[in-house]
Structure formats: C-alpha cells, structure tokens
Amino acid sequence: MNFFESVYEAVKLIPKGKVASYGQIAHIVGSPRASRQVGWALHCNPYQGIVPCHRVVFRDGSLTSGFAFGGREVQKSLLEAEGVIFKDEYTVDMQKSGWRQ
C-alpha cells in the first residue's frame, strides 16, 4: 500500500465527533515526520465522502484555511454536525474532541 492509501485508511478510523492531527496520522502510518505529506494526501483525496479528511486538523486544533472541499467554514460545519467541540471560532478543543486511538 502506498503512503497516500495508508493515510486514507488511517483517517477512516477517526470516529465521528473526534479529530486527529496531521502529525498523529503521520505517526500512525509509520512516517512520524511526514505531517505535511499527510496534508497533501488529504488535499488530493479522491474518496470524498468516504475518507473523512475534515476530521484532520493542526496539532493545536486549528482548522486549515485551505480545506480542499470548501474552506474552513465548511470544515467547521462538518465537524460541528458530528458533535466536535470548539474552543473558539476555528479551533477544536483537542482535550474534548481529540481522538486517542
């Protein structure tokens, strides 16, 4: 399985109502220093609606302004609909909504 496919499989494990960081996904797929490549893989996600890339955020919980499928407002709406808790307008409360696999 190539790196991108490994990323997609890892992201599919994040449950509704939880988020993971790019670095966390990089670590899960065995490339702990590849968080930027995780971001690129999700930007290129060919499985929209199957791979929940909206559940991946920066390590501090902030949303990316370049969310590939409509910007951070769309990402925030998707996360709020799943019950993710925010501590301010565009920052997820990682203590309450961070995924601990």
Side-chain angles (χ1 to χ4, degrees):
M1 182 179 312
N2 70 35
F3 180 80
F4 279 27
E5 292 299 324
S6 296
V7 167
Y8 302 144
E9 290 304 311
V11 171
K12 287 195 292 189
L13 297 173
I14 306 168
K16 281 186 177 181
K18 298 293 179 184
V19 297
S21 71
Y22 295 99
Q24 188 176 355
I25 298 301
H27 185 48
I28 289 169
V29 301
S31 297
R33 297 179 53 87
S35 57
R36 288 182 186 223
Q37 289 84 354
V38 168
W40 182 248
L42 296 178
H43 179 77
C44 299
N45 176 12
Y47 309 110
Q48 188 177 2
I50 298 170
V51 175
C53 60
H54 65 281
R55 294 182 189 149
V56 183
V57 299
F58 291 116
R59 68 179 168 198
D60 67 353
S62 60
L63 307 184
T64 178
S65 61
F67 179 69
F69 305 105
R72 64 184 178 178
E73 292 80 15
V74 172
Q75 184 179 16
K76 182 180 181 183
S77 294
L78 292 168
L79 292 173
E80 285 181 326
E82 294 181 353
V84 170
I85 307 298
F86 282 76
K87 63 181 184 180
D88 64 38
E89 187 174 10
Y90 294 113
T91 307
V92 171
D93 186 326
M94 295 300 279
Q95 293 296 319
K96 295 179 180 172
S97 294
W99 178 46
R100 289 160 185 71
Q101 72 285 0

